[in-house]
Amino acid sequence: MFEADRASRRHGITVTEFAEGAAAGTMTVTEDMLNGHGTCHGGQVFLFADTVFSCACNSRGTVTVAAKADIVFVDGRGTVPGS
């Protein structure tokens, strides 16, 4: 499935580990992927997470899609900003 995912590959995502029910990957962050704060845009982070998640979910041979997904961004101390 990942081989046909042009969007993920175009954004520098690679799957580094792939096993039944599991996957891991890397994403090279380029200057074009930075937000106004100079950090990786949250949409890019979500694209990476969604890509690796989909590889893990589809690893058993059954076509699946996510019904819901969330990412909680935390600050450098591991806490949710504003909480």
Side-chain angles (χ1 to χ4, degrees):
M1 184 188 91
F2 181 74
E3 294 77 25
D5 188 344
R6 293 180 296 186
S8 294
R9 287 186 288 114
R10 180 171 183 196
H11 287 271
I13 296 172
T14 58
V15 177
T16 58
E17 296 178 38
F18 189 73
E20 188 172 315
T26 63
M27 179 175 72
T28 302
V29 178
T30 64
E31 194 171 306
D32 291 339
M33 299 162 82
L34 303 180
N35 61 21
H37 299 290
T39 59
C40 187
H41 191 285
Q44 299 291 341
V45 173
F46 197 92
L47 172 66
F48 172 67
D50 185 55
T51 297
V52 176
F53 177 69
S54 69
C55 288
C57 290
N58 285 280
S59 65
R60 294 185 171 99
T62 302
V63 175
T64 62
V65 296
K68 182 176 181 352
D70 295 303
I71 292 181
V72 176
F73 295 99
V74 296
D75 65 18
R77 297 170 302 214
T79 59
V80 177
S83 62

